[in-house]
Amino acid sequence: MKKTRLGGISAVIVGVLYLLTVVIVLTSPPGENPVIDHITYMNKLIAVHYVLGILGVLGIMVVLAISNKIEPYTLSSEWYPYTKVMAIIGFALLALNNLRQIGLDHELSHKAMAKGGVVFDTIILAWAGLVELSPQGWLDFGFVGLWIFTVSLITFTHTKQKFLSVIGWIGGSCFILTVIGNVTGISLLVMIGMGLGGLVVVPLWFVLYGTILIKKNTTLETTESSIISSN
């Protein structure tokens, strides 16, 4: 059995950080434009970037740990390796994007306020392209959500973790729904995706999966052992 304790601890932390991010964002309601927001809530938004940067790094570890855990069920799957790489890309981009924004957001917003006029208007119009690497969430939400959904489909079919799998289906779908909402401009979809997914379901999925990875004797391990013994 491959060791996944470190990945399990990382998964629990990732779940807590997802929840913390949404809580901080909810206490920082959007204003007129991103420049004003980053002046008004500078400390909170910088904290979000730190949290998401750490989350992205730990998320890569979680993908590898969970992939090791379900390896017996994915050896013959052509699709799973693709989603695994997608999730790694998504978490890596999340880390890169947010660690990059820590200094950039502060500098741009304060310079825009100091210059005013045309500079202020230009930075507001170009904000997403200047500071965000995935403004609609295709990679950091869409790729990760697709991977969570795929993992849950596999575990539902091959293990006894039915409740965890259903939680994963809902969480992965919420992340994908968030992307659809961003693309279409339907804020209700984003609210549902982030409110239900980011605040409740996705954090719960990571924490529950983390406890499974940490424990030595779990349902997943028992199921794997029975498969090996039967062969």
Side-chain angles (χ1 to χ4, degrees):
M1 180 62 61
K2 295 181 179 179
K3 294 182 178 180
T4 55
R5 185 175 180 83
L6 180 58
I9 295 172
S10 298
V12 173
I13 297 174
V14 164
V16 173
L17 293 183
Y18 265 126
L19 175 61
L20 179 60
T21 299
V22 177
V23 170
I24 296 175
V25 171
L26 288 176
T27 60
S28 311
E32 297 178 23
N33 56 66
V35 172
I36 298 297
D37 292 346
H38 281 77
I39 295 294
T40 306
Y41 304 109
M42 177 58 67
N43 292 333
K44 288 185 177 180
L45 295 180
I46 291 298
V48 167
H49 290 321
Y50 273 112
V51 169
L52 288 177
I54 296 170
L55 191 158
V57 174
L58 295 178
I60 296 173
M61 298 171 63
V62 175
V63 173
L64 296 176
I66 292 179
S67 296
N68 285 338
K69 192 69 172 176
I70 65 174
E71 186 177 15
Y73 317 127
T74 60
L75 292 176
S76 60
S77 173
E78 184 179 3
W79 172 246
Y80 181 75
Y82 297 148
T83 61
K84 172 185 172 181
V85 173
M86 288 180 185
I88 291 174
I89 291 173
F91 278 121
L93 180 83
L94 186 68
L96 174 63
N97 190 28
N98 283 277
L99 294 177
R100 172 178 173 268
Q101 283 184 250
I102 289 170
L104 187 60
D105 285 4
H106 182 276
E107 183 177 355
L108 277 178
S109 58
H110 281 80
K111 282 188 176 180
M113 290 294 291
K115 295 290 183 181
V118 177
V119 174
F120 181 82
D121 294 335
T122 301
I123 290 180
I124 290 175
L125 290 173
W127 184 271
L130 288 172
V131 303
E132 297 180 13
L133 300 179
S134 179
Q136 293 181 326
W138 279 101
L139 304 181
D140 41 356
F141 287 103
F143 279 13
V144 172
L146 183 61
W147 172 75
I148 293 174
F149 188 91
T150 302
V151 169
S152 301
L153 182 62
I154 292 170
T155 55
F156 186 86
T157 304
H158 295 284
T159 76
K160 298 178 181 179
Q161 303 292 342
K162 307 302 182 185
F163 175 74
L164 181 61
S165 299
V166 172
I167 292 295
W169 285 345
I170 298 173
S173 298
C174 283
F175 268 17
I176 295 171
L177 194 66
T178 300
V179 177
I180 296 173
N182 288 333
V183 172
T184 60
I186 302 176
S187 58
L188 178 61
L189 297 181
V190 178
M191 292 174 61
I192 294 173
M194 291 308 299
L196 178 61
L199 187 60
V200 181
V201 184
V202 172
L204 179 61
W205 185 82
F206 276 103
V207 170
L208 291 177
Y209 223 118
T211 59
I212 290 176
L213 294 175
I214 292 171
K215 293 178 180 179
K216 293 183 178 180
N217 298 315
T218 66
T219 305
L220 279 177
E221 291 180 358
T222 303
T223 306
E224 291 167 11
S225 300
S226 63
I227 289 177
I228 295 172
S229 62
S230 65
N231 292 333

